[in-house]
């Protein structure tokens, strides 16, 4: 697990450096306490997803997917979201949709049709039940709860605070949460050196901004979770 610890340390360092740079360049009052909370959440979530870096036994040894880590992280993040200073609704854990959310749902509907069309066009046989169930549940639920939920709230508080200057509902916190999402899918430590997959970063960090917009427009994680799971799951069906 040494490589995993080095990776999350690099991710945390990059997000911290960017937060400090953004605050200085945009003349934003950086709330250091909230930034520390955000960075601690990155480490906590990484530890939970990786089952305490191997200390927690795998409860689904017959599966090819990390059900145990994802379920553990989901439970832990819900606890964080319910804590004072966060709040379930502030983290988007609500079914209620904010006024003016219709455009986001229309965009999702159009993109959803396009994704299913692509999945059908490039079909090469459906995956097994274990893969289908996992991809239609865990990535969207756990990752949205973190990146568009508790981490987004902490970074928004760190960089925006009472200053709500945002573009299309996305503040600097949303940008950094999207960077963190991209890093989690693209920046690795292998053979004693960092490895960045630029294409993977672009293909995850870019769409992450759309998920932040969904979250901001609807005030809920429901649409980001659905969008995330459609993107992950559509290609498992054909």
């Amino acid at each position: 697990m040494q490589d995993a610890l080095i990776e999350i340390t690099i991710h945390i360092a990059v997000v911290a450096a960017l937060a400090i740079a953004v605050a200085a360049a945009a003349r934003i009052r950086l709330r250091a306490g909230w930034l520390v909370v955000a960075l601690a959440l990155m480490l906590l979530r990484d530890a939970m997803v990786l089952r305490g870096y191997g200390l927690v036994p795998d409860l689904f040894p017959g599966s090819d997917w990390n059900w145990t880590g994802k379920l553990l992280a989901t439970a832990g993040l819900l606890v964080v979201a319910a804590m004072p200073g966060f709040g379930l609704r502030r983290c988007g854990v609500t079914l209620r949709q904010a006024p003016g959310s219709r455009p986001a749902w229309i965009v999702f509907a159009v993109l959803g049709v396009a994704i299913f069309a692509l999945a059908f066009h490039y079909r090469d046989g459906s995956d097994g039940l274990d893969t289908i169930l996992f991809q239609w549940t865990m990535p969207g639920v756990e990752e949205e709860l973190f990146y568009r939920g508790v981490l987004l709230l902490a970074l928004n508080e760190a960089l925006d605070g009472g200053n709500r200057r945002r573009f299309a509902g996305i503040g600097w916190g949303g940008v950094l949460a999207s960077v963190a999402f991209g890093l989690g899918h693209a920046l690795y430590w292998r053979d004693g050196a960092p490895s960045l997959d630029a294409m993977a970063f672009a293909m995850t960090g870019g769409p992450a901004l759309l998920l932040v917009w969904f979250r901001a427009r609807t005030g809920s994680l429901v649409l980001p979770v659905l969008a995330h799971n459609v993107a992950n799951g559509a290609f498992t069906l054909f």
Side-chain angles (χ1 to χ4, degrees), residues 21-28 165 172:
V22 163
R27 297 183 179 181
I28 297 171
R165 290 177 296 177
W172 283 112

Side-chain angles (χ1 to χ4, degrees), residues 108-134:
F108 164 68
V110 173
L111 289 177
V113 170
I115 290 171
F116 272 104
L118 284 172
F120 183 77
H121 179 74
Y122 292 104
R123 63 191 184 278
D124 59 357
S126 62
D127 290 294
L129 182 60
D130 180 46
T131 296
I132 293 173
L133 290 176
F134 185 87

Side-chain angles (χ1 to χ4, degrees), residues 51 56-63 65-69:
R51 299 187 287 109
V56 177
D58 186 359
L59 302 179
F60 304 90
S63 174
W65 300 96
N66 184 21
W67 286 96
T68 302

Side-chain angles (χ1 to χ4, degrees), residues 129-230:
L129 182 60
D130 180 46
T131 296
I132 293 173
L133 290 176
F134 185 87
Q135 294 297 346
W136 277 97
T137 55
M138 287 293 94
V141 171
E142 187 273 325
E143 292 177 20
E144 293 308 310
L145 181 57
F146 180 64
Y147 289 104
R148 262 64 68 180
V150 296
L151 181 65
L152 176 62
L153 187 149
L155 288 173
N156 275 340
E157 290 293 335
L159 287 167
D160 290 338
N163 184 354
R164 299 303 178 188
R165 290 177 296 177
R166 301 185 180 188
F167 177 75
I170 302 175
W172 283 112
V175 174
L176 285 192
S178 299
V179 169
F181 185 73
L183 292 176
H185 291 81
L187 180 58
Y188 303 99
W189 183 266
R190 296 290 185 271
D191 300 321
S195 173
L196 176 65
D197 186 332
M199 181 60 70
F201 182 81
M203 293 295 291
T204 53
L209 288 171
L210 178 62
L211 294 173
V212 174
W213 182 71
F214 284 164
R215 165 74 174 85
R217 193 73 191 229
T218 65
S220 167
L221 289 173
V222 170
L223 183 52
V225 168
L226 287 174
H228 195 144
N229 283 338
V230 165

Side-chain angles (χ1 to χ4, degrees), residues 17-56:
L18 287 176
I20 294 170
V22 163
R27 297 183 179 181
I28 297 171
R29 182 175 66 90
L30 179 65
R31 302 170 75 185
W34 273 107
L35 178 58
V36 170
V37 168
L39 302 179
L41 285 173
M42 291 178 66
L43 179 59
L44 174 64
R45 183 259 177 177
D46 190 68
M48 291 188 294
V49 168
L50 296 180
R51 299 187 287 109
Y53 299 110
L55 296 177
V56 177

